[in-house]
Amino acid sequence: MFLDNIWMIPMFPLCGALLMLLFGRRLDPQHAHDDGHGHDAHHETPAGKKLISLLCPGAILIAFLFSLAAIIELTGVEGHTHEVVLFTWLAGLKSATASGALATFSADWGFLLDPLSSVMLLVVTGIGFLIHVYSVGYMAHDGGYYRFFGYLNLFIFFMLMLVLANNYVLLFVGWEGVGLCSYLLIGFYFRKKSATDAATKAFLVNRIGDAAFVLGMLLIFTTLGTLTFTELKPAIAAGGFHAETAAFGVMSAITLLLFIGATGKSAQLPLYVWLPDAMEGPTPVSALIHAATMVTAGVYMVARSSALYVLAPKTMMIVAIVGGLTAIFAATIGLVQNDIKRVLAYSTVSQLGYMFLACGLGAFWVAVFHLYTHAFFKALLFLGSGSVIHSVSGEQDMRKMGALRGKIPITYRTMWIGAIAIAGIPGLAGFFSKDEILWQSWSSNGGDLRWLWVIGFLTAGLTAFYMFRLMYMTFYGESRVEPETAKHIHESPKSMTVPLMVLAAGSVLAGWIGTPMVFGPVHDALPSLEHWLEPSITTVAAAHHGGEVHHDTTMEWLLMFCSVGLAIGGILFARRIFDRKTEGDPMQRMLGPGIHRVLMNKYFVDEAYMATFVDGFAKGGGQKMAEFDVGVIDGGINGAAWLTRFSSKITIWWDTWIIDGAVRLAGFLVKFSSYPVRMVQTGLVQNYAFAVVLGGIVILGYYVF
């Protein structure tokens, strides 16, 4: 019942979005005049606001329950895969494939529920519902209440389309849709210039990756003759494709283009610059789009394309390197940021780098595992930061916080759980997925990539340090809150704290479905995530590594103790520095003014992009192009117009005086020569009669005389 109707899952949030579009103003008419700054322009209408608070989160709850029922039903299906095709959406274009066969381009409006999409489905709807509930309290005093929830529902719709699509083209519809919703939600406070600039930046940077994604899709079709996920493996087998170990072939080109698309959506080097600026949107937006769902779309797409990536080891190496470098690059920037949301933003970029590191090593299931655990603790941390900001009247600078743990205890305790989860402390979700990534880095390619393990290991230590720097600056030490603000510090309402507690529970428990091999199975009746994902993900052991890697249990335990020890060391080091009163910036003293300035300015990447692409190409190059346009293009056009006008004047003179003159002269000569004749040929009968009489008289006179 539920499996055959999985197409309905995205329809629930779509209905919520349409209701807000069509009736939002009527449900909450005062919000129709929101000022775009995030403040109520008028007093709310309680009845309409309550109805919105039920409709939009309720739509996501129904989608979650429907998804859960469908996944339970899926467990009884052989192969754990079910596809529903409603109709053929696009068809007609024919192209010769690499094998020489003629293929017809087609894309179904079809939905695929399998282990991979089921994990994403629960993350999107489950975490999405909690964020919707949280938003009821967080956005209670902001203008545009119906507009905000309409955007959130629309985002969930497109994300579900992306996750459930059975082919690349329909996935791309969801891919572009979440990009649009990201633009709308980042720029929600549309009268705030920094917000609109951030929204525009996110939109433009993502278009770079999207262009590569489109090219990758087209190359898949011209190579394999299909864009349907379930047909990729048969098409690869029919085409006789093998791993491109010697040269950079067509599969390497396809996967590289897809990865470029993923770097835009999932904020990897060099297209990561939009995500930190996206913190200009409301905090629930940061949690939903930039922690739990949208930014993981690139990881999901790469995992979905695992059958292609295992044939392109060179591209996989690029993916692993970019992921590893992004992880440590963003982590170092996060060390010195003072905006609480920006610390979490760079943490997100870093953790996404971890996921791509796993993908590049061929451990696609591990990447999905970290995606899943990360959704819990990062959504918790973002929503917790929103609760902190809510309690201190909108302040986001951690230097103006401190000693908040006793005043907002629920927020403090839940964020503490999120912090130790992302730090990788044993027993919590982040420990299991992070440990698996580090083990894959150590053991892949027979140990040839252990320098990537070093990067991941150092990143783990940096993560623990900057997260507890955030915790100690926010909740410990002496209060640095402005006196006027300090009077109004209070715990957030239950609509905000209950989601925090649920996410905290998830941050503790979520990792136990993917425990390391050395732990053994948690319970025989509970399959591991690795086993669950097997039907959806092509393994790389045989295709890429030439066989199974020997599992050294002793070494894994040793590496595990090292990473946990480093994390604990990072936490204790942060406590030593920030859990006491200090003058100035401790990080500046520790790193030195030069390094601190580089990190505070994010390695000047934004400035370099501004100088190169904005001032260089857009302004400098644009000015040169404008001068070229005016001087050469317009000059040529204007010169051609002048020549046309000049030649037309000569033509007019020639036509008037020579051509028309000759015609008029001929007419005059004919008229002049015909004058004597015209004197006789008058056309009057009496004249002719007179001429006859006169002629007769003349003739008679000639004969008489």
Side-chain angles (χ1 to χ4, degrees):
M1 172 185 174
F2 293 101
L3 280 178
D4 291 332
N5 293 289
I6 55 175
W7 60 270
M8 294 178 60
I9 297 174
M11 296 300 107
F12 298 121
L14 179 61
C15 289
L18 290 175
L19 285 173
M20 293 303 100
L21 172 65
L22 299 175
F23 306 108
R25 288 173 180 262
R26 297 179 185 178
L27 290 173
D28 199 8
Q30 281 75 14
H31 280 292
H33 305 286
D34 67 276
D35 61 4
H37 290 289
H39 309 289
D40 285 333
H42 298 279
H43 183 69
E44 296 97 347
T45 301
K49 181 179 175 183
K50 288 180 180 178
L51 186 56
I52 293 171
S53 302
L54 289 173
L55 286 174
C56 294
I60 310 304
L61 177 60
I62 295 172
F64 171 73
L65 295 175
F66 200 106
S67 301
L68 187 60
I71 293 167
I72 293 173
E73 194 174 328
L74 183 71
T75 58
V77 176
E78 185 178 356
H80 302 322
T81 300
H82 187 76
E83 192 171 6
V84 176
V85 176
L86 298 183
F87 55 87
T88 298
W89 175 34
L90 300 174
L93 178 66
K94 294 184 182 295
S95 175
T97 64
S99 62
L102 191 65
T104 301
F105 177 87
S106 65
D108 295 326
W109 197 269
F111 300 86
L112 175 66
L113 185 61
D114 65 352
L116 179 57
S117 59
S118 68
V119 173
M120 292 296 296
L121 201 59
L122 291 179
V123 168
V124 173
T125 56
I127 304 293
F129 170 67
L130 294 174
I131 293 171
H132 273 72
V133 173
Y134 177 95
S135 299
V136 171
Y138 189 87
M139 300 297 292
H141 303 294
D142 278 25
Y145 193 78
Y146 78 94
R147 182 166 56 91
F148 179 80
F149 277 96
Y151 290 165
L152 283 188
N153 271 205
L154 186 63
F155 170 81
I156 295 291
F157 161 72
F158 280 119
M159 192 67 200
L160 291 175
M161 290 297 295
L162 186 157
V163 167
L164 287 172
N166 76 332
N167 61 81
Y168 282 102
V169 182
L170 190 58
L171 182 149
F172 190 70
V173 172
W175 186 277
E176 289 298 283
V178 294
L180 168 65
C181 293
S182 176
Y183 172 81
L184 295 173
L185 286 165
I186 295 168
F188 179 75
Y189 301 134
F190 53 84
R191 293 187 184 276
K192 186 179 176 183
K193 187 177 185 302
S194 59
T196 57
D197 287 348
T200 303
K201 185 176 184 178
F203 190 82
L204 293 177
V205 172
N206 272 274
R207 297 292 75 73
I208 299 171
D210 295 350
F213 190 4
V214 171
L215 293 176
M217 284 195 298
L218 295 175
L219 194 53
I220 291 173
F221 174 71
T222 56
T223 303
L224 300 176
T226 183
L227 290 169
T228 303
F229 299 138
T230 54
E231 296 175 359
L232 288 181
K233 289 183 181 179
I236 290 170
F241 292 96
H242 300 285
E244 297 173 346
T245 56
F248 196 89
V250 63
M251 286 297 169
S252 299
I254 289 172
T255 50
L256 182 59
L257 288 169
L258 294 180
F259 177 61
I260 294 172
T263 60
K265 195 66 70 183
S266 294
Q268 297 295 285
L269 289 170
L271 301 180
Y272 74 95
V273 292
W274 66 271
L275 192 144
D277 289 357
M279 298 303 108
E280 292 291 340
T283 300
V285 173
S286 303
L288 179 66
I289 298 181
H290 308 112
T293 52
M294 174 182 153
V295 293
T296 59
V299 180
Y300 167 76
M301 185 267 289
V302 171
R304 177 62 77 187
S305 307
S306 59
L308 303 174
Y309 277 89
V310 296
L311 302 178
K314 295 184 182 299
T315 300
M316 290 184 68
M317 179 61 71
I318 294 173
V319 174
I321 292 172
V322 170
L325 292 179
T326 301
I328 195 166
F329 175 85
T332 56
I333 298 176
L335 291 173
V336 299
Q337 299 301 308
N338 295 312
D339 185 308
I340 188 170
K341 286 174 65 176
R342 283 190 175 266
V343 174
L344 296 176
Y346 282 105
S347 171
T348 299
V349 177
S350 180
Q351 296 303 307
L352 289 167
Y354 256 124
M355 298 175 205
F356 281 106
L357 173 60
C359 286
L361 297 172
F364 298 102
W365 82 268
V366 181
V368 176
F369 184 27
H370 196 58
L371 181 159
Y372 161 73
T373 59
H374 176 263
F376 284 96
F377 55 72
K378 187 51 66 66
L380 169 60
L381 290 167
F382 265 116
L383 295 185
S385 72
S387 182
V388 171
I389 294 167
H390 179 80
S391 70
V392 292
S393 304
E395 182 60 64
Q396 295 184 198
D397 193 335
M398 296 184 297
R399 294 170 296 183
K400 298 180 181 179
M401 297 180 186
L404 293 177
R405 60 177 174 169
K407 299 176 181 178
I408 47 174
I410 298 176
T411 300
Y412 160 69
R413 291 168 188 156
T414 53
M415 282 194 73
W416 193 84
I417 292 173
I420 61 174
I422 194 174
I425 299 303
L428 284 88
F431 162 75
F432 297 107
S433 54
K434 182 206 71 173
D435 175 75
E436 195 64 42
I437 292 173
L438 291 177
W439 171 246
Q440 294 290 336
S441 303
W442 179 269
S443 59
S444 291
N445 280 41
D448 294 339
L449 300 177
R450 287 177 182 169
W451 62 275
L452 288 173
W453 174 86
V454 174
I455 290 178
F457 179 72
L458 294 176
T459 301
L462 294 175
T463 301
F465 176 79
Y466 67 64
M467 282 309 308
F468 276 85
R469 170 179 177 264
L470 179 152
M471 293 297 295
Y472 283 112
M473 289 184 70
T474 303
F475 295 104
Y476 291 82
E478 295 184 352
S479 176
R480 300 177 299 278
V481 181
E482 296 291 339
E484 188 62 32
T485 302
K487 299 177 184 178
H488 306 288
I489 295 177
H490 60 282
E491 185 59 274
S492 301
K494 288 186 178 180
S495 60
M496 295 171 65
T497 55
V498 170
L500 292 180
M501 289 185 281
V502 175
L503 289 169
S507 299
V508 174
L509 302 174
W512 288 95
I513 64 171
T515 55
M517 188 179 297
V518 293
F519 278 32
V522 177
H523 194 281
D524 292 338
L526 182 65
S528 68
L529 185 64
E530 180 180 9
H531 178 70
W532 172 249
L533 290 172
E534 280 179 2
S536 302
I537 292 178
T538 303
T539 58
V540 77
H544 188 32
H545 298 316
E548 293 290 341
V549 178
H550 174 66
H551 197 92
D552 189 339
T553 303
T554 304
M555 181 55 70
E556 184 170 2
W557 278 113
L558 178 61
L559 296 177
M560 191 184 303
F561 281 121
C562 289
S563 64
V564 172
L566 183 63
I568 294 174
I571 294 171
L572 295 177
F573 190 42
R575 178 184 179 183
R576 179 182 177 184
I577 295 176
F578 296 101
D579 191 18
R580 60 181 180 177
K581 185 176 180 180
T582 57
E583 296 295 333
D585 189 343
M587 293 302 298
Q588 186 174 13
R589 288 196 302 272
M590 184 172 65
L591 297 173
I595 296 177
H596 183 271
R597 180 169 176 266
V598 171
L599 296 181
M600 182 61 72
N601 288 279
K602 301 156 288 188
Y603 293 98
F604 298 99
V605 173
D606 284 287
E607 288 78 3
Y609 282 2
M610 181 68 70
T612 305
F613 297 107
V614 179
D615 294 335
F617 290 164
K619 292 182 180 178
Q623 180 64 34
K624 297 298 182 183
M625 291 299 293
E627 293 174 359
F628 179 81
D629 182 65
V630 172
V632 179
I633 305 299
D634 287 354
I637 294 173
N638 293 335
W642 183 87
L643 288 174
T644 301
R645 291 177 61 189
F646 180 75
S647 62
S648 67
K649 289 182 179 180
I650 296 176
T651 302
I652 290 171
W653 181 87
W654 178 266
D655 184 68
T656 302
W657 295 104
I658 304 300
I659 304 301
D660 289 353
V663 172
R664 288 195 297 270
L665 177 61
F668 172 77
L669 292 176
V670 171
K671 183 178 180 180
F672 180 78
S673 61
S674 66
Y675 184 75
V677 178
R678 287 191 298 113
M679 293 180 63
V680 177
Q681 298 293 334
T682 63
L684 299 175
V685 175
Q686 59 269 31
N687 290 343
Y688 296 156
F690 176 75
V692 169
V693 172
L694 183 61
I697 293 172
V698 172
I699 293 171
L700 181 61
Y702 175 78
Y703 281 103
V704 172
F705 296 104

